[in-house]
Amino acid sequence: MTKAKKEEALQKLEEMYPEAKAELVFSNPYEMLVATMLSAQCTDKQVNKVTSAVFERWPDANAMAGATEEELYPLVKSCGFKSKAGNIIAACRIIRDEHDGRVPDSMEALTALPGFGRKTANVVLYNAFGIPAFAVDTHVFRVSNRIGLCKADTVEETERQMTKLIRREKWGNAHHWLIWHGRRLCKAQRPLCETCGLKDLCDAAKTGRF
Ligand code: SF4
């Protein structure tokens, strides 16, 4: 796909999803951090069902640092692994002890927290702090490569190519356009190409290789 076609596809995505934003419910960086950690391999909808009770009981990182896994896990069990509860508490202890109780706003400090990789750090940097970041989750990886916006075998390479293609101030928005497109139309198993506004541009639709 030529650069001009890639830009046209991005423009189309922006027009299709002008309202795209995080679907996790949060009101501060601590809540974003906890919700993001719970969302690994779990839907945002499910995470949103449990977080209000969690935030009511432990309203900030200092409070969460005092929780035990036995107290937290029953409230977040429906979001998956027990290790998520342990990682949330361990991350909040580091935030209490090393960052004065405030969620850090750098890639280096976030990826030093347990349970945090580059993707989760990028999600928190953009959504909680408004820092330009392009997080590559399963939807972003699949959709970017299917359309032909990049050609990459790994999430790291996808991030590298996409951040070269997209203007820095649009990184966060583009991440959300691609997630919304992946959830609504460009689904993993059965992409709805017939109703997709990108079908005349998309590499996968043209070649039949998904
Ligand atoms: S045409 Fe099909 S494969 Fe291409 S972006 Fe749309 S839904 Fe996805």
Side-chain angles (χ1 to χ4, degrees):
M1 187 185 268
T2 62
K3 187 153 191 289
K5 289 282 177 201
K6 289 179 184 178
E7 280 165 4
E8 194 181 332
L10 287 165
Q11 175 72 37
K12 199 97 188 155
L13 282 165
E14 181 165 21
E15 287 162 17
M16 287 163 76
Y17 306 107
E19 307 294 322
K21 58 176 171 45
E23 293 181 281
L24 291 170
V25 175
F26 69 99
S27 60
N28 57 50
Y30 158 72
E31 293 185 1
M32 184 72 221
L33 174 123
V34 172
T36 304
M37 291 178 86
L38 288 173
S39 71
Q41 291 167 47
C42 177
T43 64
D44 290 355
K45 207 171 162 188
Q46 186 55 42
V47 172
N48 292 338
K49 280 185 193 165
V50 308
T51 43
S52 55
V54 172
F55 300 150
E56 196 176 318
R57 183 153 174 197
W58 297 285
D60 55 31
N62 287 336
M64 182 60 84
T68 64
E69 205 171 301
E70 288 66 37
E71 289 171 328
L72 177 59
Y73 182 56
L75 271 71
V76 300
K77 202 161 141 184
S78 58
C79 298
F81 316 111
K82 196 171 186 180
S83 57
K84 286 185 186 179
N87 282 338
I88 289 169
I89 295 166
C92 287
R93 287 181 182 161
I94 293 174
I95 292 168
R96 177 195 61 192
D97 298 342
E98 296 178 15
H99 302 284
D100 295 327
R102 285 192 296 274
V103 175
D105 62 357
S106 75
M107 173 62 75
E108 195 188 358
L110 285 169
T111 50
L113 299 175
F116 256 75
R118 205 176 159 83
K119 183 202 83 180
T120 32
N122 273 327
V123 169
V124 171
L125 286 175
Y126 178 67
N127 291 297
F129 298 108
I131 295 171
F134 187 81
V136 181
D137 72 353
T138 179
H139 297 295
V140 174
F141 178 72
R142 181 182 71 253
V143 177
S144 307
N145 280 282
R146 269 185 182 167
I147 295 172
L149 295 171
C150 63
K151 287 282 173 234
D153 293 329
T154 64
V155 291
E156 292 80 8
E157 181 58 17
T158 300
E159 183 184 338
R160 199 189 66 74
Q161 292 183 26
M162 293 296 280
T163 50
K164 213 170 144 194
L165 173 70
I166 301 163
R167 288 202 314 279
R168 195 166 185 270
E169 66 270 22
K170 289 280 185 185
W171 286 352
N173 301 91
H175 157 82
H176 289 304
W177 305 333
L178 291 159
I179 289 188
W180 279 38
H181 192 55
R183 286 182 179 155
R184 288 156 179 77
L185 284 175
C186 194
K187 301 178 183 202
Q189 299 305 326
R190 292 204 344 207
L192 306 171
C193 301
E194 278 316 304
T195 52
C196 178
L198 291 168
K199 72 173 181 227
D200 295 331
L201 290 164
C202 174
D203 274 359
K206 282 186 202 151
T207 60
R209 287 197 296 273
F210 294 89

